[in-house]
Amino acid sequence: MTPTPTATLVARDWAEIQERMLVPLYEAVYDRLEVGPGDRLLGLDCGAGLALLLAAGRGAVATGVEADPARRALARERLLEVLAAPPSAPRPYDALLAFSPSPAALAAALPAVRRGGAVVLADWGPAERCTVPAVLGGGPSPRDLDALVERAGLRPDGSGRVFCPFGYADVDSAVRGLLSTGLYDSAADPALAEKELAEALHPFERSDGAVWLPNIFRYVIARTD
């Protein structure tokens, strides 16, 4: 499938503006797992592949799964191996990174993780510690990651919280970055949603025009049996 021009632009906004906001989360998880040479990682919904690049920089062999063809194309431009669906080969990976996954997507990817391998899930932290959900009008709500671990039949093995501030040069780049997350995809009127988001961001502007949105993300680590 060839991405539409609009999809390509949104994917580039994700890669060039938004994706780096989650680097503290990726690095904290990799530190916790002690990711290094020889480790085999599978990144679910890997976007344009920044998390994979960071893992590769530590010596790991990282493969991504990304359904969106525009983001998948950008990841491949970075010379990454990115699949359209989870691999069918059983249990070749040491760890699965599944940030904000749906239960169905998680279930489809789990067979690729070796026995005793790590599964990392992450999502927004407490609402009172996250600015972005407030800017977005009360959503998204954080998922119950512990319940997701239990439903998936995984064994809990720790958790943590990471400070991930979203910082932008100006309101325009903040709007483009936040829209690239997909959180506004269900809006009936995209142009109105863009306008409302820009207005909601003004209280978070600094004197130099930059926008600063502090957030806390929570991650949990689980193990396969």
Side-chain angles (χ1 to χ4, degrees):
M1 179 185 296
T2 302
T4 66
T6 298
T8 299
L9 288 174
V10 171
R12 289 202 175 276
D13 282 344
W14 170 262
E16 296 172 4
I17 300 173
Q18 190 63 33
E19 193 174 25
R20 67 178 183 270
M21 308 301 176
L22 296 177
V23 166
L25 175 61
Y26 300 148
E27 295 286 18
V29 168
Y30 293 159
D31 287 345
R32 184 75 173 262
L33 295 179
E34 299 182 342
V35 170
D39 289 332
R40 297 164 299 172
L41 275 64
L42 181 65
L44 186 62
D45 298 328
C46 69
L50 181 56
L52 304 182
L53 286 175
L54 295 174
R58 293 170 175 248
V61 177
T63 300
V65 177
E66 176 54 56
D68 180 75
R71 297 190 186 199
R72 190 166 64 247
L74 290 178
R76 288 174 175 170
E77 286 180 11
R78 292 169 164 174
L79 304 181
L80 296 167
E81 181 184 10
V82 180
L83 311 173
S88 57
R91 305 189 181 282
Y93 294 99
D94 301 303
L96 172 67
L97 309 178
F99 302 112
S100 299
S102 67
L106 178 59
L110 282 178
V113 184
R114 66 170 176 81
R115 295 189 184 280
V119 177
V120 183
L121 311 177
D123 212 317
W124 300 99
E128 66 274 11
R129 302 290 302 278
C130 293
T131 307
V132 168
V135 171
L136 295 175
S141 300
R143 296 186 183 183
D144 187 340
L145 299 177
D146 301 298
L148 188 56
V149 165
E150 183 178 359
R151 287 198 301 272
L154 301 169
R155 174 167 42 90
D157 192 32
S159 64
R161 292 182 179 183
V162 183
F163 180 54
C164 287
F166 289 8
Y168 307 92
D170 49 39
V171 170
D172 177 67
S173 61
V175 169
R176 289 168 54 201
L178 290 171
L179 288 177
S180 76
T181 65
L183 296 172
Y184 265 77
D185 286 354
S186 61
D189 186 340
L192 179 60
E194 183 175 342
K195 178 182 177 181
E196 291 177 344
L197 180 55
E199 292 174 351
L201 288 168
H202 286 305
F204 301 95
E205 281 188 88
R206 295 185 167 185
S207 58
D208 61 357
V211 175
W212 186 252
L213 303 171
N215 302 287
I216 296 289
F217 277 74
R218 179 175 183 255
Y219 69 86
V220 299
I221 298 174
R223 298 281 172 176
T224 60
D225 291 325

